[in-house]
Amino acid sequence: MSASARVIDEGVGPWELSADRTELVRRTVPPVGDWPRQSGSWSQEQRIPVEPRAAHRVALIGESVARGFLLDPVVTLADLCRDAIRRAGHGDGYELLDLAANNLAPEQALRLCRAAVELGARTVVLYVGNNFLRSTPWLAPGTRSRTAELFHKGGYEEYLAARRQAVAETAQRFGTELEAIAGPAGVRVVVVLPATNLLDWQSPWVTPTWLPADRLALWAAAAERLRDVLDAEATGEPSDTVLALAQELTELDGGTTARPLELLGQELVRRGRRGDGLDLLSRSVSIGADPANYDRRCPPEVAAELRRLGHLPGFSLVDVPAAMARRYGAKALGKEVFLDYCHHTPEALRHVANDIVATVLADAGVPTAPGWAEPAHPDVAAADLADAYLLSALHNQHWGQSAEVVEHWLRAAATADPTSVHRLATYFTLSRPDTQFWLATEPVGGAATRMHWFLRNFSHQAVLDAEFARRALRTLDAEGRALLGRVLDDVWDDSRVEDSSGVSLLAPYWRERNGPPQEEGVFTKERDPECRYAFITSGSVPLRAELTLATGPGLPDGTFTLLLNGRVHAEGALGPEWRRHTVNLPVADLRPGANTLVLRWPVGARTRDSMEAAMSGLGLGPESLPLVRIARLWLARE
């Protein structure tokens, strides 16, 4: 490769090549359109020498798990690896470059591999797999007509098979390109296979409107019963009702929607039927409807390719799922190992680092100091550990995880450091619509640095605040509840519907990373059978709700139901044409503080032509089409 064609000449992530071409220096101004974002997505390293400073340079390249997401920068995988190298007795001979980044796509990982070769790395540690699905062109323009034809001839099963094949082909292309980069350069590659929290992850509901009408009616009735059971804020104990209903749904839809399949697998694992349960959980990962919803889990097709790569000459494999199973047994599937759906606790991340370093050193044929792999527990300050747990609770809440998971990490934060309730209170202070903290480069409003960057990097919708507040209040002790209660009173007093000209429940407080709130004109992505919204009132002023709705494409007319604070409040007709509905919300049905509005949509079978048109024209599968379109959901004084 000629010097003019080097990747590093164009810059790597947040770093650009210095004028004397000897260093990569952190940019003061990020390039236009740079992704992942600069804020908290990369290592905080300011300078990277182009020439290695040690005899053996190792480049760590990976997604957010390799970044140490939710722990970074207090605990990072790179720092744990450096520590393990020192404990093994080779601190002077090895140098590690931290090129891991949140939201890293496969093509970006390959570019970083090329950069690592140019930077003189002798070993590349590649920790990827969770972000492959978002990059899979199963409905790219050149394949849409073919995919629609498959659906027409073979039904939904053929359609899913085509997408799974596309995932496999994407992974295989990645492997081929990786071999072409590493082989000629003589660079050793350590492939790290990621693991997934299979017991605590909660997939979104997808309604199989591709089923025949009679079968779909049975599915919808069973799904509503199951959601009612789950809405009771289950404690995670095995439930005969959950098991029976999940089994019924899986039989009705043929295992094509992930949520019932996942619930069934989780229940079987909890009941000791580990093999059967794991088989179902593996099938639920990216095999059920709309894999794009599960883009942060390594699908079996990608895992198979990573394992193949790990056994090639010049490659090695660190199988994290297998290693965690050996260390933790059945607990390897849940919160003992994971902070959320795939990011590790400090203890588990230490084990991953040790395994990586053991493989790197074994590949080099160098001896290690006795007992170097201990201690297993990173030395983390109580406040920093509490912040990691607090961010884990918030991240799980943002991803719609169960009350049991969210509350587990809220309790863990309070146990690690009781003063973490003050950082929790800061989150709600920053949640006010008029708090423009995303425009500031430094934390505002007393926010901790990690909280500030976390919120700048992750979209948030107002509906989550009230539910998160309720879960937080339930987990805190009396002193913590009193403190958070006072903060909520102050924040919510400034957010009451009756004190404004009106509130659009479709408008999130902020949607885009590093950007201000953005109003949505028409929502067309309501695919779940119900939608939940929160709003704040004094409870003493009657309100009026205005809704403008229409059914999604290819669906029959039906009736939606509006629930206010858990009780059925009104019903309205839905059809393909936009209809406006006005619903009065009397004082008797309102509460001081947070109120909840739930809309439940009718479920009906779609016409085949609407599904095929979406596939061939829009690039959407039938599971991605909206059940309802919402143009307006407005609250104001009556």
Side-chain angles (χ1 to χ4, degrees), residues 276-529:
D276 293 338
L278 285 178
D279 178 63
L280 292 175
L281 289 171
S282 297
R283 286 173 54 197
S284 76
V285 176
S286 78
I287 290 181
D290 194 7
N293 272 334
Y294 319 120
D295 60 3
R296 291 182 182 270
R297 298 188 292 178
C298 184
E301 296 82 4
V302 174
E305 174 61 17
L306 294 176
R307 285 195 175 94
R308 184 193 72 82
L309 287 171
H311 290 96
L312 293 176
F315 286 70
S316 298
L317 178 68
V318 174
D319 191 328
V320 175
M324 291 300 174
R326 290 193 298 270
R327 290 191 178 99
Y328 291 90
K331 293 181 179 180
L333 302 173
K335 290 180 285 291
E336 292 286 332
V337 172
F338 298 97
L339 294 170
D340 56 4
Y341 40 81
C342 69
H343 302 104
H344 290 298
T345 63
E347 294 80 9
L349 199 63
R350 166 78 77 173
H351 285 307
V352 173
N354 289 347
D355 289 344
I356 289 172
V357 170
T359 303
V360 170
L361 296 179
D363 286 346
V366 299
T368 56
W372 70 272
E374 298 298 334
H377 300 283
D379 184 15
V380 184
D384 290 330
L385 191 60
D387 282 349
Y389 295 154
L390 179 58
L391 294 180
S392 300
L394 187 56
H395 191 52
N396 280 299
Q397 177 73 24
H398 281 206
W399 275 79
Q401 301 309 287
S402 70
E404 191 270 334
V405 172
V406 173
E407 291 175 17
H408 171 88
W409 293 114
L410 285 168
R411 291 190 190 95
T415 300
D417 177 17
T419 68
S420 64
V421 68
H422 293 280
R423 274 97 75 192
L424 177 62
T426 297
Y427 161 72
F428 288 100
T429 301
L430 292 177
S431 297
R432 292 166 44 161
D434 60 346
T435 305
Q436 298 186 7
F437 71 88
W438 54 84
L439 302 179
T441 57
E442 299 295 332
V444 297
T449 300
R450 292 170 70 194
M451 175 71 77
H452 174 82
W453 286 120
F454 177 87
L455 293 177
R456 280 193 62 167
N457 274 280
F458 289 89
S459 303
H460 170 73
Q461 290 199 5
V463 65
L464 298 177
D465 280 338
E467 185 179 75
F468 189 53
R470 179 167 57 87
R471 292 174 174 179
L473 290 169
R474 192 162 54 211
T475 62
L476 296 172
D477 60 18
E479 184 178 353
R481 284 196 301 272
L483 170 63
L484 185 58
R486 289 192 297 270
V487 170
L488 290 172
D489 287 342
D490 290 341
V491 171
W492 288 351
D493 279 349
D494 293 335
S495 305
R496 293 182 299 198
V497 173
E498 62 268 23
D499 293 338
S500 66
S501 59
V503 173
S504 171
L505 295 187
L506 301 185
Y509 288 172
W510 58 91
R511 294 187 59 81
E512 298 298 329
R513 295 177 174 92
N514 289 2
Q518 297 190 14
E519 185 85 16
E520 288 282 356
V522 177
F523 268 36
T524 59
K525 297 181 180 178
E526 301 294 358
R527 292 174 296 141
D528 291 354

Side-chain angles (χ1 to χ4, degrees), residues 34-105:
D34 182 55
W35 184 260
R37 300 289 188 187
Q38 300 292 309
S39 52
S41 287
W42 295 84
S43 162
Q44 295 186 335
E45 202 70 51
Q46 295 299 307
R47 295 175 179 272
I48 299 175
V50 171
E51 295 297 325
R53 292 174 294 188
H56 196 120
R57 173 172 271 188
V58 179
L60 173 63
I61 297 169
E63 304 157 340
S64 56
V65 180
R67 177 74 260 129
F69 179 63
L70 299 173
L71 302 172
D72 179 39
V74 176
V75 177
T76 71
L77 180 62
D79 283 342
L80 293 175
C81 287
R82 293 181 184 116
D83 180 61
I85 291 171
R86 285 193 296 270
R87 285 185 281 108
H90 297 282
D92 295 333
Y94 282 77
E95 172 193 12
L96 190 142
L97 302 183
D98 186 359
L99 300 179
N102 295 334
N103 298 301
L104 193 71

Side-chain angles (χ1 to χ4, degrees), residues 55 188 201 313 323-324 382 390 413 469 505 549 572 578 623:
R188 185 87 191 179
W201 172 259
M324 291 300 174
L390 179 58
L505 295 187
L549 312 168
W578 292 106
E623 74 290 334

Side-chain angles (χ1 to χ4, degrees), residues 205 207 216-232 241 245 248-249 260 529-530 532 561 563 568 571 598 600-603:
W205 283 98
T207 303
L216 179 60
L218 295 173
W219 189 97
E224 185 171 356
R225 295 198 304 274
L226 180 54
R227 286 196 305 275
D228 288 341
V229 173
L230 299 173
D231 275 348
T241 303
L245 289 172
E248 181 180 350
L249 288 169
E530 67 178 35
R532 297 170 182 260
T561 302
L563 291 83
V568 175
E571 292 185 339
V598 176
R600 291 182 176 170
W601 313 121
V603 174

Side-chain angles (χ1 to χ4, degrees), residues 525-581:
K525 297 181 180 178
E526 301 294 358
R527 292 174 296 141
D528 291 354
E530 67 178 35
C531 307
R532 297 170 182 260
Y533 303 92
F535 60 95
I536 310 300
T537 76
S538 65
S540 60
V541 177
L543 303 178
R544 181 184 72 257
E546 297 178 2
L547 304 85
T548 303
L549 312 168
T551 56
L555 290 174
D557 293 356
T559 302
F560 72 89
T561 302
L562 183 149
L563 291 83
L564 176 61
N565 293 325
R567 300 176 61 182
V568 175
H569 189 77
E571 292 185 339
L574 271 175
E577 302 297 326
W578 292 106
R579 300 186 187 183
R580 179 176 178 179
H581 305 266

